[in-house]
Amino acid sequence: MEDTLSAHTSPADLYRHSLRLLLDKNIPGWVDLWAEDGVAEFPFAPPGWPERLEGKEAIAAYMRHYPDHIDLHDFPDLCIHQTTDPGTIVVEMRGVGRLVETDAPFDMTYIAVVTVQDGRIASYRDYWNPLAVIEPGADFAGSSR
């Protein structure tokens, strides 16, 4: 699908493709979907975790070790809502899998507000549950907790 992604790809299709890349553990491919100046925000980030990442390089560094800690198996219950802004979607979903270090189940509910410009992710506000990182093995971001 990489060849078919373009500035004309809908935000919903781009997002679905991003989930496939995460399931395939293709973090470089996932990062390639971002605009150079893309911004990721985590309004519910717990102490020691980043609240904002600015630029593709910072996002790549944040996600680099994700598959070493969280083995994603599926994104059930995916619901993508269109907004009045054609470049912005609101996503509700669950990510399920296992924590690599402990083999414990991983089951996280997410709500994200994603804005796409020129076929790339420009803004991603991720409203994930910070209580989930209390589990041993969930700290892929190397927080200072």
Side-chain angles (χ1 to χ4, degrees), residues 5 14 21 24 27 35 40 51 56 65 71 77 88 96 99-101 104 113 119 131 133-134 140 145:
L5 289 177
L14 183 73
L21 291 170
D24 290 345
I27 300 304
E51 295 176 11
K56 191 181 220 176
H65 299 292
D71 178 19
D77 309 324
T88 300
V96 297
L99 298 175
V100 174
E101 181 181 312
V113 179
L131 296 176
V133 298
I134 295 171
F140 68 90
R145 294 184 298 116

Side-chain angles (χ1 to χ4, degrees), residues 10-19 75 77-83 86 88-93 112 114:
S10 75
D13 287 343
L14 183 73
Y15 193 82
R16 284 186 194 92
H17 181 63
S18 78
L19 296 180
F75 290 102
D77 309 324
L78 176 64
C79 184
I80 298 175
H81 305 278
Q82 298 301 139
T83 70
T88 300
I89 56 175
V90 175
V91 179
E92 297 178 85
M93 67 179 188
V114 182

Side-chain angles (χ1 to χ4, degrees), residues 22 27 30-31 40-42 45-46 48-51 53 58-72 75 98-101 106 108 110 124 126 128-130 132-145:
L22 288 176
I27 300 304
W30 185 85
V31 170
E41 295 177 281
F42 309 97
W49 283 68
E51 295 176 11
L53 302 168
I59 292 162
Y62 176 79
M63 288 295 290
R64 186 166 292 124
H65 299 292
Y66 189 93
D68 299 332
H69 297 278
I70 300 172
D71 178 19
L72 289 169
F75 290 102
R98 70 179 181 90
L99 298 175
V100 174
E101 181 181 312
F106 176 81
M108 173 85 76
Y110 300 88
Y124 194 120
D126 190 349
W128 59 279
N129 178 1
V133 298
I134 295 171
E135 294 293 319
D139 190 0
F140 68 90
S143 75
S144 60
R145 294 184 298 116

